[in-house]
Amino acid sequence: MENIAAEKTTLCPSARPEPENSVVFGIISGTVAEPRVAYLKQPQTLTDELIAKASPVTPAEIFRTASPCATKGCQHFDGQDCRLATRIVEKLPAIAEELPPCAIRRDCRWWQQEGKAACMRCPQVITDNYNASELATEVAMPTAI
């Protein structure tokens, strides 16, 4: 795997792994009941080789990926802010006691928009979580603009 520096662009920290220019910045660890993100020291380009290593599960079940924020192309974006980041901060409990060691923070939309409050909740956000709590499912649902 090659080490990369995050592009100088705003990154979505809950992007699907399919978009071009996606990077892995965390690995899902913890338990089925309480999955948690373990952050990588450097984001890694999401390659076909890395995707193949995830098989037979989806890459989003084991990798936390980021890609350039889609802004108006995203169902969570209201034209100015990421409503997903807002809901995460408003509804999910903080689970980190200190800022997680996140390699994409400086470019992260959630950090830019919500600051430390988003980071303290980020480790519990899992893209493909088939055992998500009712609250996590509610938070993930796009809201009407």
Side-chain angles (χ1 to χ4, degrees):
M1 277 186 279
E2 87 183 63
N3 283 340
I4 62 151
E7 295 295 317
K8 298 229 186 280
T9 187
T10 300
L11 295 174
C12 170
S14 67
R16 299 285 318 161
E18 292 83 8
E20 194 173 312
N21 300 322
S22 290
V23 295
V24 175
F25 69 97
I27 305 294
I28 308 307
S29 64
T31 65
V32 171
E34 288 190 357
R36 295 292 183 257
V37 176
Y39 295 89
L40 301 177
K41 289 183 181 185
Q42 289 290 323
Q44 303 292 316
T45 300
L46 186 60
T47 62
D48 290 339
E49 177 185 4
L50 202 50
I51 290 170
K53 289 182 184 212
S55 185
V57 300
T58 69
E61 287 179 73
I62 59 170
F63 301 132
R64 199 51 200 285
T65 56
S67 64
C69 177
T71 61
K72 295 176 184 147
C74 178
Q75 59 190 347
H76 295 290
F77 194 72
D78 69 5
Q80 180 176 347
D81 290 323
C82 175
R83 299 298 301 155
L84 177 58
T86 302
R87 288 191 307 278
I88 285 170
V89 168
E90 289 175 351
K91 297 183 177 191
L92 291 181
I95 62 162
E97 294 180 16
E98 56 187 46
L99 281 176
C102 180
I104 67 161
R105 181 172 293 121
R106 69 185 172 104
D107 298 315
C108 177
R109 172 157 307 276
W110 293 2
W111 167 257
Q112 293 168 2
Q113 179 182 315
E114 302 291 337
K116 182 178 178 180
C119 297
M120 303 305 269
R121 292 156 174 82
C122 183
Q124 66 191 306
V125 176
I126 311 302
T127 305
D128 284 356
N129 185 349
Y130 304 115
N131 194 41
S133 68
E134 192 174 310
L135 177 59
T137 301
E138 175 189 329
V139 168
M141 285 295 173
T143 55
I145 300 173

